[in-house]
Amino acid sequence: MATLGDIAVSAAFNIVGAFAFLLAFALLRLQPINDRVYFPKWYISGKRSSPMHAGGSFVGKFVNLNFKTYFTFLNWMPQALKMSEAEIIDHAGLDSAVFLRIYLLGLKIFVPMAAVALVVLIPVNVSDGTLYSLNKDLVISNIDKLSISNVRSKSIKFFFHISMQYLFTFWTCYLLYKEYSRVASMRLRFLASQGRRAEQFTVLVRNIPHVSGRSTSDSVESFFRKNHPEHYLCHQAVYNANKFARLVQKRDRLQNWLDYNQLKFERNPEKRPRRKNCFLGLWGEKNDSIDFYKHQIKELDKKLTMERQKVLKDPKAIMPAAFVSFNSRWGAAVCAQTQQSKNPTLWLTKWAPEPRDIYWKNLAIPFVSLTIRRFIISVAVFALIFFYMIPIAFVQSLANLEGLEKVAPFLTPVTELKFIKSFLQGFLPGLALKIFLFALPRALMIMSKVEGYVAKSTLERKAAAKYYYFMLVNVFLGSIIAGTAFQQLRAFLHESATQIPRTIGVSIPMKATFFITYIMVDGWAGIASEILRLKPLVKFHLKNMLIVKTERDRVKAMDPGSVDFPETLPSLQLYFLLGLVYAVVTPILLPFILVFFAFAYFVYRHQVINVYNQEYESAGAFWPHVHRCIIWSLLISQLLLMGLLSTKEALSSTPLIIVLPILTLAFHNYCKNRFEPAFRKYPLEEAMDKDLEDRPSESDVKLKSFLADAYLHPIFRSFEEVESVELRVDKRRAHSPSPSRSSSSSSDDDSHHLEDEPSEEEDEPSQEEAVLPLHYEYEPPSDAYHYVAEVLSNVYEYGTEPYHN
Amino acid sequence: MATLGDIAVSAAFNIVGAFAFLLAFALLRLQPINDRVYFPKWYISGKRSSPMHAGGSFVGKFVNLNFKTYFTFLNWMPQALKMSEAEIIDHAGLDSAVFLRIYLLGLKIFVPMAAVALVVLIPVNVSDGTLYSLNKDLVISNIDKLSISNVRSKSIKFFFHISMQYLFTFWTCYLLYKEYSRVASMRLRFLASQGRRAEQFTVLVRNIPHVSGRSTSDSVESFFRKNHPEHYLCHQAVYNANKFARLVQKRDRLQNWLDYNQLKFERNPEKRPRRKNCFLGLWGEKNDSIDFYKHQIKELDKKLTMERQKVLKDPKAIMPAAFVSFNSRWGAAVCAQTQQSKNPTLWLTKWAPEPRDIYWKNLAIPFVSLTIRRFIISVAVFALIFFYMIPIAFVQSLANLEGLEKVAPFLTPVTELKFIKSFLQGFLPGLALKIFLFALPRALMIMSKVEGYVAKSTLERKAAAKYYYFMLVNVFLGSIIAGTAFQQLRAFLHESATQIPRTIGVSIPMKATFFITYIMVDGWAGIASEILRLKPLVKFHLKNMLIVKTERDRVKAMDPGSVDFPETLPSLQLYFLLGLVYAVVTPILLPFILVFFAFAYFVYRHQVINVYNQEYESAGAFWPHVHRCIIWSLLISQLLLMGLLSTKEALSSTPLIIVLPILTLAFHNYCKNRFEPAFRKYPLEEAMDKDLEDRPSESDVKLKSFLADAYLHPIFRSFEEVESVELRVDKRRAHSPSPSRSSSSSSDDDSHHLEDEPSEEEDEPSQEEAVLPLHYEYEPPSDAYHYVAEVLSNVYEYGTEPYHN
């Protein structure tokens, strides 16, 4: 049991650590050389150009010599707060703005709660003082004296705790309601304010039945012409291009190596780079690297051409799925929300995600296997959640000092030092947990991908949900129970429904110190390291040294990615859970959570404004998930308090508390009915409004050309572009560069190097012929083809609009 | 513990009882005077006219004198089987045909199951014979020797039971799948074969927002004109006519009394009937009855006129709900399945039930209160389920002989008689339960009505579901546990999740005798009394004597009503549960269930063909509910077997059985996805097919007139008709009787007497003026009014078509 002193040491450590990080951040971000690491968003939005090209001395291009700026190293905080919410939505999208609101919600919930709890409950807890008398027998930390454990059994004072639980529940629900309503209206306003976008008109149809002697395209065409005669416009078949995509990826990798070697050669022209030719270049004869990679790429290009032709010509490569577009938002809304076929497992429709949100790989999964996949993954997640705990519990029992001394008795002299003891007790358990949690999100993301969701946003939400379950069982329950009972699941199965909350409830106050250190290590330090961006910093400079040749390579190297929702959302939700559970039990924990929320709010506001560049826009689609998690946290806190009080022989209080979960569930139900449809469905009223607004300016023909290949697999698009570039370069035709070239960088990350490659000049005549059949094959409504040329620029403009203008 | 002998006595009793009933039925149904009680369906469908008017002697009109027919008193059974399923659908509707299929499904499931279980399991159980050795200590019935209890603990023989459970589960699932698929396709075919019906074009819209300065009608009109411009046709406002309906009901009652008194006077002209005028006619001065009722009716008519004008003129009487009709099935299907408004709690749409299926009273419930109502009712149902048990347990402990002797020791000499003892033990517990269950369905129906469902079919389904939960907890669990632990709920809360199935499982084999008697008393005798129709028989003859004056009165008196789904479905499902649970544990129970299913199938086939006249047609909408209940029964049987085996120390079998519930749930999920949408949604493909079929023959104008007042509250329609009759009678205008007059009897049960009343001749001129504004007020699209006259006949024809041609 850690004492208050231990916690103070740990807190000091963490505060010093966080300040060190902040200081490092302040110093690093002021250096022009790091500008692209700490402000990439502004480069991407085009509002900032490289400071290295700006005036000043040569050193000044890399190091900030204006020493005045170093004294104001915390001034990013007020700067981060300057931007209004509307501006953030404009600048970074609604997802980011809504994400920031979660931290704000945390502050709104916990600031008054902490104030009330500290003022009311701490005096109540301290005044009773059972623990003083028990002190001799039990090892009890000082913090326990401030907690509910200190109140005598059967005391009338539990009335305070119960009324506080009521107060906190109502307060939380009130804020949740307000927030849900606000986010829902923000979402609707955001959707309404958007211009013409392909996903507004498009529905993803899956499980298209196979009719012998008829292509999928024909089936789709005739089905929708018949059943949506006034609204159907066109459709885009879905190709299974996974193998092709893998090859393109491989080519990219080889290209990177080639770039690296060419750069090396340029810088050091007297020595041509060489590599061993066997087993990943580890041994064997040495060859010329540049020739080797050029040869490999050429081989691969042949394969690519063949594979592409196979995909486009083989009817088996066309999946029984299609993106069906309508001539009005109303038509698409109708199709997405209704059942199409007599057999409800065929012709399944749902809103198409926006093109850049689609996870193309999963579109190739046959629909029938989805159920089985989901079943298998849910079993796997269950196993993961309940067996991951065993190593954690083992490590934690090590990290427990007594355990450590038993395992490694030779360490005793060291661990007996007071300072090191405090450090270990305060720091180790949290750290151990953190290390275990590191590999997890990737595993969960892979699981979600196997489940077969087709939108990246859904994948991230599902991965986040799995991670939350994991944290709930392993971090929360695991930390509370593991010390007392190893095999929770087994224990719970053999315990009665009333016994379970008691078992957990009674351990809750004892674990407060652990969670306080956890909040500091995971929360505070995590946020501080978030702002420092150490990994991207190193990565950027490495890439800059090794492979960056052109400005576009540099842009790619600085790519900041999106906010990591699958990891941040669950840990956020864990803090909500901790706050709600301990608000009544050990209110001294609340200030630590408050510091986390405030600090994280500043940091993420800064990051969202200056760093992250969202890959897709789901218009806050994750909010229902966040809301549900907080409601669950409330329920858990109520049940655990009930269990805890029943061990305190305050059984008469049970009926008083049992009302709360019922009310909370009723509230949740109400919110679900009231707000959730705004996140799942597109109301016809809204669709009609938008349609009427746009109708004068839109003709069907224009719309058709706009939609024609908005939902083409990006791999085809990039390849096609590559070829047009190749043609241009090779045949010296009088092409004026297409306006979309520079702006299309985000949609064809995979192969944009090709454009600038002198090595690509050896062109094969067979490739040119392959271009034309490609168009004739995949252009779904053949008459739309004529518009493709003029349209492509529209599409790209649309596809990348929020980033690149 | 009842012995095999006790059960034989009980079975003999019940068989004799059932035969007595059958004999009585055979005798009664052959009497011409009872013809309308046992064959009303044929009268209603017009294929049979009163045998009393047929030739023959005077006595022959009332009593069957053809003695040959008495010898073939069971010949209704083959007759009942003669009709094919397609004919039954034609004759009695799909609901009835699907209802019969449940019994057939029971036979299909349990016949092979019983054969296999008896052949395989009984020898296995008998051969071990632990119970022979224990016999001295425990009171064990003979039946237990045939059950799983007889198998030694840890015996390898449990392998037989487990593999049987697997076999039975797969067999049941296979049949369930086939049946679901069959019923779903029957439903789709039935819906596709129906002609033009109002509900195909109509959607019920609720929670229409109130806009100040605008009537609900205007709001509806403008909202749907805007959001469904190509499909919206017209709408019908919903009036809160509950008070008006109550008055009409009261008037009916008075009219009945008047009829009765007038009849009395006619038969006995010298003595005018008189009644006391205070407190329900129990004391006070005596008045002339005929005058009294005539006066009362006149008073009431004034009130009625006022109330009707109030309803039609007061905007507050218009509920924020409407029946919105579309010009195509496609448009209606789209509107029913999509979200209309930005605020998902406004403009809620769902399919309109067919007009005769609507429970008008609940349309007047404000939508906001529905959530609260449902919450309150679910608490009430919970309380009812868990506190109803206390009196049952008490009565059962009385019915238990030892208990009875303790409570009433003076009965000991009587109960010690062997015969009476057997009778009591075999008969009493089942009877006690049955009496308690008698009042319940009405209570549950009232609860469902309070919940506010607007369709009678939904009300019946919900009441049936509640009843099933009740039976599950009280009849099934209650009978198993009550003897050992009074307060189940409390006990379960304090037991672990693994302990609960053990506690129940271990008592299961011991209660087999009880359930066998229950099946005989409730099932066999219940079915026998079902075919005898004692209550309707008495009622019909009483009415015939007292108030029937015209042929139409007689038709009304014979009204057989519908099959009582809320009561028959749950008890059916209970038999499925018993069969599945005991199939492995005590297979000797299966033949009793088989007898029930076979007998019930014959009886209900006879009743559906000859007696019942369904009030509405839901096209088998209750099937998903039936399916779900059988799946739940399977799950329960698996869990209980698991618990039972774990008490037999066959713990190693647990992993073998735990796979089954998971597979069963997966199967259920699959069926739900595959078939349930056919019962909930109307696929666009289907709607479009029907639309295309009908399009040539339908114009919008004709459709509009067809739909104009299909969804008018029947109370207005009947009143309106009354008035036109009054006008005709009173003003001696040259009206030719409308063709709809005689056929509209079922849709205006409440007041059809008025037509033939000479007492109605005192007409008030004010009433005539009230007629016209009535039309102008409620006719929703005012131009549709011109068609009303020609249309009314259509509407009535449509509304009553299945009954009266």
Side-chain angles (χ1 to χ4, degrees), chain A residues 226-227 230 330 344 674 689, chain B residues 226-227 230 330 344 674 689:
Chain A
K226 188 185 151 215
N227 292 309
E230 288 149 27
W330 193 91
R674 174 68 185 81
D689 281 348
Chain B
K226 186 185 150 215
N227 293 308
E230 288 149 26
W330 193 91
R674 174 69 186 79
D689 282 348

Side-chain angles (χ1 to χ4, degrees), chain A residues 223-224 228 334-335 338-342 347 349, chain B residues 683-685:
Chain A
F223 185 86
F224 284 94
H228 295 265
V334 160
C335 182
T338 49
Q339 188 192 332
Q340 306 302 314
S341 153
K342 287 170 214 183
W347 296 104
T349 55
Chain B
L684 296 189
E685 190 184 12

Side-chain angles (χ1 to χ4, degrees), chain A residues 684-696:
Chain A
L684 296 188
E685 189 184 12
E686 190 87 15
M688 190 51 97
D689 281 348
K690 283 287 276 180
D691 280 343
L692 291 176
E693 209 174 88
D694 287 359
R695 193 155 290 168

